[in-house]
Amino acid sequence: MTSKVRVRFAPSPTGNLHIGGARTAIYNWAFARRMGGSFILRIEDTDPERSTPENTAQIIRSLRWLGLNWDEGPEVGGAYGPYLQTERFASYGEMLELLKKKDAVYPCFCSPEQLAARREAALASGSSFIGYDRSCRNLPPDDVAERLSSGACHTWRLKVPLDHGPVIFDDLVFGETSFPIEQLDDFILVRSDGTPTYNYVVVVDDALMQITHVIRGDDHLSNTPKQILVYEALGLIPPHFAHLSMILGSDGKRLSKRHGATSVEAFADEGYFPEALLNYLALLGWSLDGETTLINAELLTENFSLERVSKNPAVFDETKLAWINGVYLKEMGASAFIDALIPYLQDYGFTRSGSAADAPGVLADVAANRSWYEAIYPLIAERAKTLRDVCPQIAYLFSGGKVALDEKSVEKCLAAPGAREALASSLELLSDTALTWELAPIETALRAIPEQLGLKPKVVFQALRVALCGNMVSPPLFESIVLLSREQTLSRIRNAQETTSF
Ligand code: GLU
């Protein structure tokens, strides 16, 4: 193919950008980048009841958050605009005039009640064709002219060429796909209120925007033959089509809200990184080599091809996404981690100093104690999967001189024989102001206790862990002690001693 690749992502702003739509956007974008073509964003906002500017803004935010950039579309403009369908009605009107001139459409005066009754009769008779019965297709021209001039309510339907033969196209994912012409009725292009239908506007827009490849979900597969007929009626060559199989939940059903978070924003809110979601979605239905599980935007845009897109439905696996996210978390480094964590610290109202824990208070606290916050990172980097996971795991670092003690942990570790002695010795050692409050001296001092007391290390350190962190599964003990400060450590040990003085 010689013409420059032009692809589009064309969401209807009737809700959030969900991960199915995000994957379609990613594949279009990656294909455009790989082919040196253009990626266009077009907002299909013709449904006045369900489309809102807030949804459009939210979709744009989600695409930007994922790191996708478009060459033409809202916010960036372009030579083929406008990029909002509600601003393109003049084109739909002009193309309808063209179709009328070509005698490719006709007005239909049937009322919704008549259509419904005929449809029911067709169903009852067991007929295999339940589409429109074409009763207005051959009305006498005078009759049509009279009705139109008297303002009779009408839609415009496509005159499907009855001698067309099957509509065949070579889908770039599904291969040759064929639809018998008999199954296609004379569908409506323009409704009686003058608004154009999806199958009509999408063709006008794709044609005028010179789209070369339509890459979209396979829920549109059955629309494709209709759209091809509109191209043909306009005397235009259809673009290439590539349909993407759907994303299923773990129960094999189409992914929906029942399966939990499905919108990009919900994943962002859960503390997933855009790079991780992009990585996961890129490989959900496309593979680099059948093995690679970690891929960044650069590798994706250098290698994406439609040939490696799978025909089989993909199953969404949040555990795998979380694993990928954990990998990014492990690799991002302390500084980026703390920056990303700030909104979550604000959510939880955590401050080191216990100072005002409103959003500006948290921000100021992080700025004033940057290295302390960054020191949290190595404690958590191997353990957390998402940013939202992190806060409950580090809550103990923010509770001052007291920490809530988990009951089971108290029973198992603080009530164990030897625990009281272990706490007493730890308190004594850590109270010694000659002990520098740094990891190495603290660890050396505490590691001597088990032998001195003739106790198993586990008994000593689990007791101390519960006393300081509240439970048995906290991040590493010695590092935590350094972060807690001497004052808080001693206070927590004393507190645990009181609680366990039985
Ligand atoms: N606006 C349509 C949708 O959101 C997409 C149409 C298309 O890609 O052709 O499902």
Short mmCIF file of all heavy atoms in Angstrom, two decimals, residues 99 104 134 158-162 164-167 179-181 184-187 189 199 203 223-236 238 241:
data_model
loop_
_atom_site.label_atom_id
_atom_site.label_comp_id
_atom_site.label_asym_id
_atom_site.label_seq_id
_atom_site.Cartn_x
_atom_site.Cartn_y
_atom_site.Cartn_z
N LEU A 99 -26.13 10.78 -2.17
CA LEU A 99 -26.76 9.45 -2.26
C LEU A 99 -28.12 9.53 -2.95
O LEU A 99 -28.51 8.65 -3.71
CB LEU A 99 -26.91 8.83 -0.87
CG LEU A 99 -25.59 8.39 -0.22
CD1 LEU A 99 -25.78 8.08 1.27
CD2 LEU A 99 -25.01 7.16 -0.92
N ALA A 104 -29.41 6.00 -4.52
CA ALA A 104 -28.96 4.91 -3.65
C ALA A 104 -29.74 4.87 -2.34
O ALA A 104 -29.51 3.98 -1.52
CB ALA A 104 -27.47 5.09 -3.37
N ARG A 134 -39.14 -3.51 2.92
CA ARG A 134 -38.88 -2.67 1.73
C ARG A 134 -40.17 -2.13 1.09
O ARG A 134 -40.19 -1.81 -0.09
CB ARG A 134 -38.10 -3.45 0.66
CG ARG A 134 -36.75 -3.97 1.17
CD ARG A 134 -35.84 -4.50 0.08
NE ARG A 134 -34.46 -4.59 0.54
CZ ARG A 134 -33.86 -5.72 0.92
NH1 ARG A 134 -34.50 -6.87 0.89
NH2 ARG A 134 -32.62 -5.68 1.33
N LEU A 158 -31.04 2.97 2.94
CA LEU A 158 -30.14 2.60 1.85
C LEU A 158 -30.83 1.56 0.96
O LEU A 158 -31.43 0.62 1.46
CB LEU A 158 -28.85 1.99 2.40
CG LEU A 158 -27.79 1.69 1.35
CD1 LEU A 158 -27.11 2.97 0.88
CD2 LEU A 158 -26.75 0.72 1.88
N LYS A 159 -30.72 1.75 -0.33
CA LYS A 159 -31.26 0.78 -1.28
C LYS A 159 -30.22 -0.32 -1.45
O LYS A 159 -29.30 -0.20 -2.26
CB LYS A 159 -31.43 1.49 -2.63
CG LYS A 159 -32.80 1.38 -3.25
CD LYS A 159 -32.82 2.12 -4.56
CE LYS A 159 -34.11 2.89 -4.69
NZ LYS A 159 -34.23 3.58 -5.97
N VAL A 160 -30.33 -1.36 -0.67
CA VAL A 160 -29.33 -2.42 -0.76
C VAL A 160 -29.45 -3.09 -2.13
O VAL A 160 -30.54 -3.51 -2.51
CB VAL A 160 -29.54 -3.46 0.38
CG1 VAL A 160 -28.67 -4.69 0.17
CG2 VAL A 160 -29.24 -2.82 1.73
N PRO A 161 -28.37 -3.15 -2.90
CA PRO A 161 -28.46 -3.76 -4.24
C PRO A 161 -28.76 -5.26 -4.12
O PRO A 161 -27.95 -6.01 -3.59
CB PRO A 161 -27.09 -3.52 -4.86
CG PRO A 161 -26.26 -2.88 -3.82
CD PRO A 161 -27.02 -2.71 -2.56
N LEU A 162 -29.91 -5.64 -4.59
CA LEU A 162 -30.36 -7.01 -4.34
C LEU A 162 -29.57 -8.05 -5.12
O LEU A 162 -29.50 -9.21 -4.75
CB LEU A 162 -31.86 -7.13 -4.65
CG LEU A 162 -32.71 -6.15 -3.82
CD1 LEU A 162 -34.16 -6.18 -4.28
CD2 LEU A 162 -32.60 -6.44 -2.34
N HIS A 164 -26.38 -8.00 -5.44
CA HIS A 164 -25.00 -7.73 -5.05
C HIS A 164 -24.17 -8.99 -4.84
O HIS A 164 -22.96 -9.01 -5.07
CB HIS A 164 -25.01 -6.89 -3.76
CG HIS A 164 -23.67 -6.42 -3.30
ND1 HIS A 164 -22.75 -7.26 -2.72
CD2 HIS A 164 -23.09 -5.20 -3.35
CE1 HIS A 164 -21.66 -6.56 -2.40
NE2 HIS A 164 -21.85 -5.31 -2.78
N GLY A 165 -24.80 -10.05 -4.37
CA GLY A 165 -24.00 -11.21 -3.96
C GLY A 165 -23.47 -10.97 -2.56
O GLY A 165 -23.65 -9.86 -2.03
N PRO A 166 -22.84 -11.94 -1.94
CA PRO A 166 -22.39 -11.75 -0.56
C PRO A 166 -21.42 -10.58 -0.42
O PRO A 166 -20.67 -10.30 -1.35
CB PRO A 166 -21.69 -13.08 -0.21
CG PRO A 166 -21.45 -13.74 -1.51
CD PRO A 166 -22.46 -13.24 -2.50
N VAL A 167 -21.49 -9.91 0.74
CA VAL A 167 -20.52 -8.84 1.00
C VAL A 167 -19.30 -9.51 1.64
O VAL A 167 -19.39 -10.12 2.70
CB VAL A 167 -21.09 -7.78 1.96
CG1 VAL A 167 -20.08 -6.66 2.19
CG2 VAL A 167 -22.39 -7.22 1.41
N PHE A 179 -20.81 -12.03 4.32
CA PHE A 179 -22.18 -11.91 4.81
C PHE A 179 -23.13 -12.01 3.62
O PHE A 179 -22.99 -11.26 2.66
CB PHE A 179 -22.39 -10.55 5.49
CG PHE A 179 -21.71 -10.42 6.83
CD1 PHE A 179 -20.37 -10.05 6.91
CD2 PHE A 179 -22.41 -10.67 8.00
CE1 PHE A 179 -19.74 -9.93 8.13
CE2 PHE A 179 -21.77 -10.56 9.23
CZ PHE A 179 -20.44 -10.18 9.30
N PRO A 180 -24.11 -12.94 3.66
CA PRO A 180 -25.06 -13.04 2.55
C PRO A 180 -25.87 -11.75 2.44
O PRO A 180 -26.32 -11.21 3.46
CB PRO A 180 -25.97 -14.21 2.94
CG PRO A 180 -25.46 -14.74 4.23
CD PRO A 180 -24.39 -13.86 4.75
N ILE A 181 -26.03 -11.26 1.24
CA ILE A 181 -26.74 -9.99 1.04
C ILE A 181 -28.20 -10.11 1.50
O ILE A 181 -28.79 -9.14 1.96
CB ILE A 181 -26.66 -9.55 -0.45
CG1 ILE A 181 -27.03 -8.06 -0.60
CG2 ILE A 181 -27.53 -10.39 -1.35
CD1 ILE A 181 -25.92 -7.14 -0.29
N LEU A 184 -29.20 -8.63 4.79
CA LEU A 184 -29.09 -7.19 5.05
C LEU A 184 -30.34 -6.48 4.57
O LEU A 184 -30.70 -6.55 3.41
CB LEU A 184 -27.86 -6.63 4.33
CG LEU A 184 -26.54 -7.23 4.82
CD1 LEU A 184 -25.41 -6.92 3.86
CD2 LEU A 184 -26.22 -6.71 6.20
N ASP A 185 -31.00 -5.79 5.48
CA ASP A 185 -32.19 -5.07 5.05
C ASP A 185 -31.80 -3.65 4.65
O ASP A 185 -30.63 -3.25 4.77
CB ASP A 185 -33.29 -5.10 6.13
CG ASP A 185 -32.98 -4.20 7.30
OD1 ASP A 185 -31.84 -3.68 7.40
OD2 ASP A 185 -33.88 -3.99 8.13
N ASP A 186 -32.78 -2.91 4.14
CA ASP A 186 -32.50 -1.52 3.74
C ASP A 186 -32.45 -0.67 5.00
O ASP A 186 -33.44 -0.07 5.40
CB ASP A 186 -33.61 -1.03 2.79
CG ASP A 186 -33.55 -1.73 1.44
OD1 ASP A 186 -32.58 -2.46 1.18
OD2 ASP A 186 -34.49 -1.52 0.64
N PHE A 187 -31.31 -0.65 5.64
CA PHE A 187 -31.22 0.00 6.95
C PHE A 187 -31.28 1.53 6.83
O PHE A 187 -31.02 2.10 5.76
CB PHE A 187 -29.97 -0.46 7.71
CG PHE A 187 -28.69 -0.28 6.95
CD1 PHE A 187 -27.91 0.86 7.14
CD2 PHE A 187 -28.25 -1.24 6.06
CE1 PHE A 187 -26.73 1.03 6.45
CE2 PHE A 187 -27.06 -1.07 5.36
CZ PHE A 187 -26.31 0.07 5.55
N LEU A 189 -30.36 5.32 7.25
CA LEU A 189 -29.17 6.18 7.33
C LEU A 189 -29.47 7.46 8.08
O LEU A 189 -28.63 7.99 8.81
CB LEU A 189 -28.67 6.55 5.92
CG LEU A 189 -28.32 5.41 4.97
CD1 LEU A 189 -27.66 5.97 3.71
CD2 LEU A 189 -27.40 4.40 5.62
N ASN A 199 -24.10 3.71 11.43
CA ASN A 199 -23.53 3.06 10.24
C ASN A 199 -23.37 4.02 9.06
O ASN A 199 -22.62 3.74 8.13
CB ASN A 199 -24.40 1.87 9.82
CG ASN A 199 -24.05 0.64 10.63
OD1 ASN A 199 -22.88 0.32 10.82
ND2 ASN A 199 -25.07 -0.03 11.16
N VAL A 203 -19.14 5.95 8.17
CA VAL A 203 -18.59 5.84 6.81
C VAL A 203 -18.23 7.23 6.28
O VAL A 203 -17.14 7.44 5.75
CB VAL A 203 -19.60 5.14 5.87
CG1 VAL A 203 -19.12 5.22 4.42
CG2 VAL A 203 -19.79 3.69 6.29
N ASN A 223 -21.64 -4.84 11.65
CA ASN A 223 -21.90 -3.54 11.03
C ASN A 223 -21.08 -3.35 9.76
O ASN A 223 -21.42 -2.54 8.90
CB ASN A 223 -21.54 -2.40 12.00
CG ASN A 223 -22.56 -2.27 13.11
OD1 ASN A 223 -23.75 -2.42 12.87
ND2 ASN A 223 -22.09 -1.99 14.32
N THR A 224 -19.98 -4.08 9.67
CA THR A 224 -19.04 -3.85 8.58
C THR A 224 -19.66 -4.05 7.19
O THR A 224 -19.47 -3.21 6.31
CB THR A 224 -17.77 -4.69 8.80
OG1 THR A 224 -17.24 -4.31 10.07
CG2 THR A 224 -16.72 -4.44 7.74
N PRO A 225 -20.44 -5.14 6.94
CA PRO A 225 -21.03 -5.26 5.59
C PRO A 225 -21.95 -4.08 5.27
O PRO A 225 -21.98 -3.62 4.13
CB PRO A 225 -21.82 -6.58 5.66
CG PRO A 225 -21.94 -6.91 7.10
CD PRO A 225 -20.76 -6.31 7.78
N LYS A 226 -22.67 -3.59 6.27
CA LYS A 226 -23.55 -2.44 6.03
C LYS A 226 -22.71 -1.23 5.62
O LYS A 226 -23.05 -0.50 4.69
CB LYS A 226 -24.33 -2.08 7.29
CG LYS A 226 -25.28 -3.17 7.76
CD LYS A 226 -26.04 -2.68 8.97
CE LYS A 226 -26.91 -3.80 9.54
NZ LYS A 226 -27.62 -3.39 10.74
N GLN A 227 -21.62 -1.06 6.33
CA GLN A 227 -20.78 0.11 6.04
C GLN A 227 -20.13 -0.02 4.66
O GLN A 227 -20.01 0.96 3.93
CB GLN A 227 -19.73 0.29 7.16
CG GLN A 227 -20.42 0.66 8.47
CD GLN A 227 -19.49 0.66 9.69
OE1 GLN A 227 -18.28 0.68 9.54
NE2 GLN A 227 -20.08 0.64 10.87
N ILE A 228 -19.77 -1.25 4.30
CA ILE A 228 -19.18 -1.46 2.97
C ILE A 228 -20.20 -1.07 1.89
O ILE A 228 -19.86 -0.43 0.89
CB ILE A 228 -18.71 -2.92 2.82
CG1 ILE A 228 -17.46 -3.12 3.69
CG2 ILE A 228 -18.42 -3.26 1.36
CD1 ILE A 228 -16.96 -4.55 3.75
N LEU A 229 -21.47 -1.42 2.12
CA LEU A 229 -22.51 -1.06 1.14
C LEU A 229 -22.66 0.46 1.03
O LEU A 229 -22.93 0.99 -0.05
CB LEU A 229 -23.84 -1.70 1.52
CG LEU A 229 -23.90 -3.23 1.38
CD1 LEU A 229 -25.24 -3.76 1.88
CD2 LEU A 229 -23.68 -3.66 -0.08
N VAL A 230 -22.48 1.17 2.15
CA VAL A 230 -22.56 2.64 2.09
C VAL A 230 -21.38 3.19 1.29
O VAL A 230 -21.53 4.09 0.45
CB VAL A 230 -22.63 3.27 3.50
CG1 VAL A 230 -22.67 4.79 3.40
CG2 VAL A 230 -23.85 2.76 4.27
N TYR A 231 -20.18 2.65 1.54
CA TYR A 231 -19.02 3.08 0.72
C TYR A 231 -19.31 2.88 -0.76
O TYR A 231 -19.08 3.75 -1.58
CB TYR A 231 -17.77 2.26 1.07
CG TYR A 231 -17.06 2.70 2.33
CD1 TYR A 231 -17.22 2.01 3.52
CD2 TYR A 231 -16.22 3.81 2.32
CE1 TYR A 231 -16.56 2.41 4.67
CE2 TYR A 231 -15.55 4.22 3.46
CZ TYR A 231 -15.73 3.51 4.64
OH TYR A 231 -15.08 3.92 5.76
N GLU A 232 -19.83 1.70 -1.06
CA GLU A 232 -20.08 1.38 -2.47
C GLU A 232 -21.13 2.33 -3.06
O GLU A 232 -21.00 2.80 -4.18
CB GLU A 232 -20.51 -0.09 -2.62
CG GLU A 232 -19.34 -1.03 -2.35
CD GLU A 232 -19.72 -2.51 -2.38
OE1 GLU A 232 -20.91 -2.81 -2.57
OE2 GLU A 232 -18.81 -3.35 -2.22
N ALA A 233 -22.16 2.61 -2.27
CA ALA A 233 -23.21 3.52 -2.75
C ALA A 233 -22.64 4.91 -3.02
O ALA A 233 -23.07 5.61 -3.94
CB ALA A 233 -24.33 3.59 -1.72
N LEU A 234 -21.65 5.29 -2.23
CA LEU A 234 -21.02 6.61 -2.43
C LEU A 234 -19.95 6.56 -3.53
O LEU A 234 -19.35 7.59 -3.86
CB LEU A 234 -20.37 7.09 -1.12
CG LEU A 234 -21.33 7.56 -0.02
CD1 LEU A 234 -20.59 7.66 1.32
CD2 LEU A 234 -21.94 8.91 -0.39
N GLY A 235 -19.69 5.38 -4.04
CA GLY A 235 -18.67 5.25 -5.08
C GLY A 235 -17.26 5.31 -4.50
O GLY A 235 -16.33 5.75 -5.16
N LEU A 236 -17.11 4.87 -3.25
CA LEU A 236 -15.80 4.95 -2.58
C LEU A 236 -15.25 3.56 -2.29
O LEU A 236 -16.02 2.60 -2.15
CB LEU A 236 -15.93 5.70 -1.26
CG LEU A 236 -16.41 7.15 -1.35
CD1 LEU A 236 -16.78 7.67 0.04
CD2 LEU A 236 -15.32 8.02 -1.97
N PRO A 238 -13.77 1.02 0.29
CA PRO A 238 -13.72 0.90 1.75
C PRO A 238 -12.29 0.78 2.26
O PRO A 238 -11.41 0.32 1.52
CB PRO A 238 -14.50 -0.39 2.05
CG PRO A 238 -15.17 -0.77 0.77
CD PRO A 238 -14.42 -0.13 -0.35
N PHE A 241 -10.26 -3.49 7.18
CA PHE A 241 -10.87 -3.67 8.49
C PHE A 241 -10.09 -4.69 9.31
O PHE A 241 -9.60 -5.69 8.76
CB PHE A 241 -12.32 -4.17 8.35
CG PHE A 241 -13.24 -3.13 7.77
CD1 PHE A 241 -13.53 -3.11 6.41
CD2 PHE A 241 -13.80 -2.15 8.60
CE1 PHE A 241 -14.38 -2.14 5.87
CE2 PHE A 241 -14.65 -1.18 8.07
CZ PHE A 241 -14.94 -1.17 6.70
#
